[in-house]
Amino acid sequence: MLTKSFLLALAAAVLCSIQPARGQTPPNLPDGPGKEAVVSYCSGCHGLPRVVASGYPQAYWHTAVRMMLNFGVPIPPDQINLVTDYLAKNFPENPKPVANIIPGPARIDIKEWQVPIPGSRPHDPLATRDGAIWYTGQMTNRLGRVDPKSGQVKEYPLKTPLTAPHGLVEDKNGNIWFTGNNAAIVGKLDPKTGAVAEYKMADPNAKDPHSLAFDQSGILWFTLQQSNMIGRLDPATGEIKLMTAPTPRSRPYGIMVNSKGVPFVALFGTNKIARIDPRTMEIREYALPDAKARPRRLALTGDDVVWYSDFARGYLGRLDPATGQVTEWQSPGGPRSEPLRHRRFEGRRLVQRIR
């Protein structure tokens, strides 16, 4: 799995054009074949300090370079291996926390499917009602569908170049809705025809549409992480309404809708979870006890209690919106486990971690 700093680097690449970084003092890179090429091609979006702070195996660096190529970084063919080898030699994999294996009766089988284009960065898998698994090809401008029974993988190209699709959700008619990080759009794919409809943000400051969820009336709610906004889209009319979160730079991230049609949002840039009144669009924020908490994704149980993964501290948390009471449990992997998301399965909660 990708690490936190790697994801931040990729996010930076998604949100900027291929231009030289400004206001940064380049670090001193180790001498060796490929240094000049790395300085030329790996500093335009996120700067060399982020490269220096990274550390991955050769295969990961190969994937990272393929992602750069897929997203338009003009590395000449004869320089690709040079860049990859230099990065792998000088910035090898960083040590990881030791996994805490807990004995128990659970059995997990993992099956993998190779996507058609290397470096596509498959993201935000979605299980649909027909049993398929959908994913966003963030760096290849596609949505993909996997048939777990046959193993067939089919990809659908999007309309706007460099959309950088991120989140996915299925509507009642089987259409697949997605957010476009880089293009600042919400889109809809009809799997039967491959047709793509796009809904653009009216506000030029509304950037980085991120995660999305439908309420019971068919209204689509979504977050805009880097814009500090939350959006509401009516698919019947195409109307989009945007609201700004009260806390500056709170980075609205994961979003879920409870049984009463009320959206809840994880504010990843602060220690808060937001509740949105679907009628008035008023936002109420619940502060978590620890100021260092950074909730990233949410899950809701049948009693409308909100569960969150605290990515920064390594905790699973429970918020009761009716009382404001918060209960937390340390992840078995410790404070560096970086829990990203969790799901409810027949009363049990599964926490997926990403490093």
Side-chain angles (χ1 to χ4, degrees):
M1 291 186 177
L2 303 181
T3 64
K4 177 182 177 182
S5 59
F6 193 31
L7 291 174
L8 291 173
L10 291 172
V14 166
L15 293 171
C16 68
S17 58
I18 311 303
Q19 297 294 333
R22 298 179 180 178
Q24 293 185 353
T25 301
N28 292 322
L29 297 183
D31 291 330
K35 174 182 177 180
E36 292 76 13
V38 168
V39 171
S40 297
Y41 303 117
C42 300
S43 62
C45 288
H46 46 70
L48 292 176
R50 186 160 289 161
V51 175
V52 173
S54 303
Y56 313 108
Q58 175 92 20
Y60 277 38
W61 279 121
H62 176 75
T63 299
V65 172
R66 288 303 301 258
M67 291 183 193
M68 294 167 62
L69 292 167
N70 289 340
F71 215 70
V73 179
I75 305 177
D78 62 349
Q79 300 283 296
I80 294 174
N81 289 338
L82 187 67
V83 168
T84 304
D85 291 344
Y86 176 88
L87 292 170
K89 177 182 177 180
N90 293 286
F91 306 105
E93 184 175 13
N94 294 323
K96 302 294 190 300
V98 178
N100 184 9
I101 307 299
I102 300 176
R107 173 184 171 85
I108 298 175
D109 295 314
I110 298 176
K111 185 173 183 178
E112 298 179 335
W113 294 271
Q114 181 67 50
V115 299
I117 304 176
S120 68
R121 195 185 179 218
H123 205 272
D124 269 29
L126 170 71
T128 49
R129 292 189 300 272
D130 62 357
I133 304 297
W134 287 80
Y135 62 89
T136 51
Q138 274 201 300
M139 297 301 182
T140 53
N141 214 49
R142 295 165 180 260
L143 302 188
R145 180 186 185 275
V146 180
D147 183 339
K149 294 181 179 179
S150 66
Q152 181 183 13
V153 180
K154 180 178 181 180
E155 293 195 329
Y156 299 79
L158 301 181
K159 185 183 296 185
T160 298
L162 303 182
T163 293
H166 189 280
L168 291 174
V169 69
E170 180 187 22
D171 68 18
K172 62 182 180 181
N173 296 318
N175 298 307
I176 306 299
W177 293 73
F178 62 92
T179 51
N181 285 161
N182 191 56
I185 62 169
V186 171
K188 179 182 72 172
L189 168 71
D190 183 346
K192 299 183 183 68
T193 65
V196 175
E198 295 181 342
Y199 302 82
K200 299 181 179 180
M201 303 297 113
D203 184 345
N205 295 316
K207 301 174 182 178
D208 190 26
H210 200 272
S211 302
L212 64 179
F214 279 105
D215 66 19
Q216 290 81 347
S217 64
I219 296 297
L220 184 66
W221 299 84
F222 58 97
T223 57
L224 300 96
Q225 182 186 191
Q226 300 299 333
S227 308
N228 205 43
M229 294 179 178
I230 301 164
R232 175 190 185 277
L233 189 157
D234 185 345
T237 64
E239 180 187 26
I240 293 178
K241 294 182 179 179
L242 300 169
M243 66 214 89
T244 299
T247 299
R249 297 181 296 278
S250 64
R251 296 178 62 187
Y253 202 96
I255 184 169
M256 298 288 287
V257 178
N258 73 7
S259 66
K260 300 178 179 64
V262 178
F264 283 82
V265 177
L267 301 179
F268 188 36
T270 186
N271 64 321
K272 297 177 180 179
I273 292 174
R275 175 189 186 274
I276 306 166
D277 187 313
R279 291 179 293 115
T280 66
M281 307 281 283
E282 180 182 359
I283 300 175
R284 174 186 175 183
E285 294 181 339
Y286 297 82
L288 304 178
D290 195 317
K292 296 180 181 179
R294 291 297 180 268
R296 188 162 181 173
R297 295 282 190 177
L298 305 176
L300 302 176
T301 44
D303 54 1
D304 283 339
V305 166
V306 179
W307 295 79
Y308 60 89
S309 53
D310 184 343
F311 185 81
R313 296 167 55 238
Y315 274 81
L316 176 66
R318 178 187 188 274
L319 166 67
D320 185 344
T323 64
Q325 182 180 4
V326 175
T327 309
E328 295 185 326
W329 295 265
Q330 176 77 65
S331 164
R336 295 180 60 196
S337 58
E338 299 182 346
L340 172 58
R341 70 169 74 215
H342 47 287
R343 288 289 185 266
R344 181 170 63 93
F345 295 105
E346 299 177 355
R348 298 182 179 181
R349 291 164 193 91
L350 170 67
V351 178
Q352 175 188 8
R353 294 177 182 84
I354 185 167
R355 292 193 176 113

